Amino acid sequence: MKKHLTLDPIIRRLVASTRPICRYLLLSAALSLILIACAVAAPKLLGAQVDKLYAYDGAAGLAASLTPGLLILGGIYAAQSAARYANSYLLNHAVSRYYSADLRIRISEKLARLPISYLDKTPAGDILDRMQEDVSTMGSTVHTIVEVLITGFLQLLIISLFLFFTDWRLALVVVLLAPASMLLSGRLATLGEKHWQTLFEQGGELYAVTEECYTNFAVTKAFNQEAAMQQRYDALNTAHQKTSARANFLSSIVQPAIVFVDALAYIAIALLGGWLILCRGMAVGTVVTVILYVRQFSSPLERIAFTFGELQQTKAAAKRVFDLLDLPEEPQGKAVPAGPVRGEVRFSHVDFSYTPDKPLIRDLDLTIRPGQNVAIVGPTGAGKTTIVNLLMRFYDPDAGSILIDGEDVAALSRASVRGMFGMVLQDTWLFRGTVAENVAYGKPEATREEIIRACDRVYCDHFIRTLPQGYDTVISEDSTALSAGQKQLLTIARALLADRQLLILDEATSNVDTRTEIYIQKAMDKLMKGRTCFVIAHRLSTIMGADRILVVRDGQIVGFGTHRELLDKGGFYHTLYYSQYEIR
C-alpha cells in the first residue's frame, strides 16, 4: 500500500500543493517529534516504576522512591498533551487560513482565465461545489497526511526499535502482525475509492439543481413546479444517500478491522508475556513496558488505517479540483491595441459553430466604418447574439478573422478587446453594492459628479435620490426596491459612464415603459453619436433610423442596407418587418 500511495499522481500532487504552508508543516513535524519522544519515554519510565513496586518488600520509603519517577511521568504526559494541542491548533490554523483560502483563490483566478464556453456548459452549482465542499475535504485531510502518514510511520519505526531493545521475542509478535493490518486496511480503503468519486460527482449535481431552483424560484412558483423540482431533487438526493452509505461503510470498517488485529496482538503479548514471566523469569515491568508500547504502536496503526479511508474521499475531491485547475485557458494576446480606437470593424470570411456538427456563422464578410450605427436583425437562432459573442471574444472564429482598426483581435488580449466595448444587455445584472458602485462598475475611478451626470443623462437621477440613502443605497440583482425598468436604466448609465468607442446594445429599452423609452432613446442617440454601435433588435420599429441594418438568417447575411433600401428590395427583411405588424 505504501508503494501505491507513493506512485499515485493525485496523492503526489496533493502533497505538492501544500508548498504554501510548508514552514508550518515543518514546525508541525518538530512538534510531532516531541510527541514521539513522549510516547517512547513514558512506557519505559512506567515499566521501571512497576518493577520498583513489584520488588517492594514492605520496607519504608516506597513513596519517596516512586515520587520522582511519577512526577517526571506526569510532566511527560503534560508535555505530550500540550504538544498535541499546539500541533492541532497550528495545522488547523495554517490549513484553513492559507491552504484552503489559497486554493479557492487559485480556482477563482482560473475561472477568470477560462473560456466562456466552459461556464456555458458547466452548472454554477457544480463549480460552487468544487470551490466549497471539495476544497474543504482536501483541507481537512492535508494535516492528517502530514501528522499521520509521516509522523505515524516514524513513530512505528521508533517504537519497533524500542520494542526489540526491550525484548525481541515479544517485539516479533507485534511486528509480524503489522503488515496484516496495513494490507487489510489498504484493501478495504481502495474498495471505497470509486464510490467516493461517484459521491462527489452527485454532490455537484445536487448543488446545481439547488442553485437552479432557488435562482429561478419565482418562475418555479409561477408555473407551480415546486413538486416537480422536489421530485427531481429527491431522486438525486436518494442516489447520493445510497452512494454515501456504500462509501462510508467501506471506509468505516477499516478501523474496526485494525482494532481486531490489534486485539489479537494484545492477547498474544499477554499470553506470551505471562509464560515468559513464569518460565523464563522475565521482569513484570518488561511485559508492562511492551504492552504499553503495543498500545503506542496500535494507535498510529489505527490512525493510518482511518487515514487510508479518508484518502479515498480526498482523492475524489482533489481530482475534481485539479481537473478544473488543469483546464486549458484562453490564449493571451498582447496587452493593448496600437494607438487610439477609431471603431472600424471588419469580419473577414468568418465561420463559427458552437458544435462541429451544427454550423452557424458561414463566410461572414463585412466592413463597418467608424461611427456607423448597425442594427442586427433576424429570427431567433439566426446568429445575432453569436456575432456579439465573437466581437467580444467570448468565442473565437473557427475560420477567418475579425479586425478592429485593421488589427486582428486574435493578436490582442481579451481584456484589451473588451475594454473597447460598452454593453447594455436585455438581461440586467447588478451586484450587491451601492447604486454608485454599480454605475461605476466599468469605470471604478469615476468621481461622484461623473456618476451623477451619467445617471442624469438617462433620466434615473430622480428616482435614485428617492431611495433611502440615495446613491449610497445598497442594492443587488434580486433587490425588490427597484423595478425592472429602473435596473435597466442603471445599466445604461453604467455604459454611458464607461465611455467606450464601440457599443453593443441588446434591446436595451425593452424593459421600460413607453414614456421612459423615449427619454432613453434620446440619451442613446447622444451616446451613439460618433461611436460604432451594434444594436441587436427584436422590435424592428426601434431601428428604422440605423445607418445600416444587417439581416441575418441561419448564420448568413441575407441583407445589408438602410431600412428603406431593404424594404424596397423586398425579400426576407420585407417579410420579417411586416410580419410583426400582422402578428399584432
Side-chain angles (χ1 to χ4, degrees), residues 25-37:
L25 299 182
L26 289 174
L27 182 56
S28 171
L31 290 172
S32 297
L33 290 176
I34 296 175
L35 289 172
I36 293 174

Side-chain angles (χ1 to χ4, degrees), residues 375-378 384 505-507 535-540 542-543:
I376 306 173
V377 302
K384 302 187 297 296
L505 309 173
D506 185 357
E507 201 63 53
V535 182
I536 297 178
H538 304 284
R539 291 180 296 171
L540 301 188
T542 64
I543 48 87

Side-chain angles (χ1 to χ4, degrees), residues 142-158:
V142 161
H143 64 84
T144 307
I145 292 175
V146 177
E147 183 181 4
V148 176
L149 294 186
I150 296 178
T151 61
F153 280 114
L154 182 60
Q155 184 174 344
L156 289 176
L157 176 61
I158 294 175

Side-chain angles (χ1 to χ4, degrees), residues 192-203 243 247 312-320 323:
E193 182 175 354
K194 63 179 181 180
H195 296 296
W196 285 116
Q197 181 66 39
T198 303
L199 185 69
F200 278 96
E201 291 173 356
Q202 291 173 337
T243 305
Q312 308 312 313
Q313 179 181 358
T314 305
K315 281 174 59 179
K319 184 178 185 304
R320 284 165 46 82
D323 284 347

Side-chain angles (χ1 to χ4, degrees), residues 317-552:
K319 184 178 185 304
R320 284 165 46 82
V321 171
F322 292 148
D323 284 347
L324 174 57
L325 292 175
D326 291 340
L327 288 171
E329 300 177 4
E330 292 179 323
Q332 299 297 314
K334 63 183 181 180
V336 292
V341 179
R342 295 184 296 108
E344 181 185 80
V345 178
R346 171 166 170 71
F347 292 86
S348 178
H349 303 287
V350 170
D351 292 341
F352 175 77
S353 63
Y354 292 104
T355 56
D357 58 328
K358 294 181 180 179
L360 183 57
I361 302 294
R362 290 171 290 179
D363 196 32
L364 177 58
D365 195 71
L366 179 70
T367 299
I368 295 151
R369 295 194 301 272
Q372 279 193 327
N373 176 4
V374 179
I376 306 173
V377 302
T380 300
K384 302 187 297 296
T385 302
T386 301
I387 291 175
V388 171
N389 287 340
L390 293 173
L391 279 172
M392 295 290 291
R393 287 203 71 191
F394 294 149
Y395 293 87
D396 286 326
D398 299 328
S401 58
I402 300 174
L403 298 91
I404 296 180
D405 294 342
E407 191 161 11
D408 192 342
V409 296
L412 304 175
S413 70
R414 283 172 168 77
S416 297
V417 173
R418 292 162 193 167
M420 305 178 195
F421 287 88
M423 290 188 73
V424 179
L425 303 179
Q426 185 175 5
D427 297 324
T428 60
W429 180 81
L430 302 173
F431 61 89
R432 182 167 181 80
T434 66
V435 172
E437 289 170 342
N438 271 277
V439 174
Y441 187 72
K443 189 179 179 182
E445 72 280 4
T447 64
R448 179 58 63 93
E449 290 73 20
E450 290 174 323
I451 294 171
I452 294 174
R453 191 179 309 119
C455 291
D456 186 57
R457 288 187 64 187
V458 296
Y459 309 100
C460 60
D461 176 70
H462 64 287
F463 79 74
I464 293 174
R465 294 186 184 276
T466 65
L467 296 174
Q469 285 81 40
Y471 282 86
D472 295 316
T473 302
V474 176
I475 59 173
S476 63
E477 177 60 32
D478 54 359
S479 175
T480 57
L482 300 176
S483 68
Q486 289 171 332
K487 292 177 183 178
Q488 187 66 284
L489 287 170
L490 291 180
T491 65
I492 294 170
R494 178 190 294 168
L496 270 168
L497 184 62
D499 195 23
R500 306 285 171 76
Q501 185 60 32
L502 296 103
L503 293 174
I504 295 174
L505 309 173
D506 185 357
E507 201 63 53
T509 61
S510 62
N511 288 330
V512 296
D513 59 79
T514 304
R515 182 173 179 273
T516 305
E517 180 180 353
I518 295 172
Y519 287 122
I520 293 177
Q521 195 60 56
K522 291 179 180 179
M524 286 296 180
D525 290 340
K526 297 176 183 177
L527 171 66
M528 293 187 293
K529 187 175 182 180
R531 292 178 172 85
T532 306
C533 304
F534 297 87
V535 182
I536 297 178
H538 304 284
R539 291 180 296 171
L540 301 188
S541 59
T542 64
I543 48 87
M544 290 188 295
D547 295 327
R548 291 290 185 273
I549 297 174
L550 178 65
V551 188
V552 183

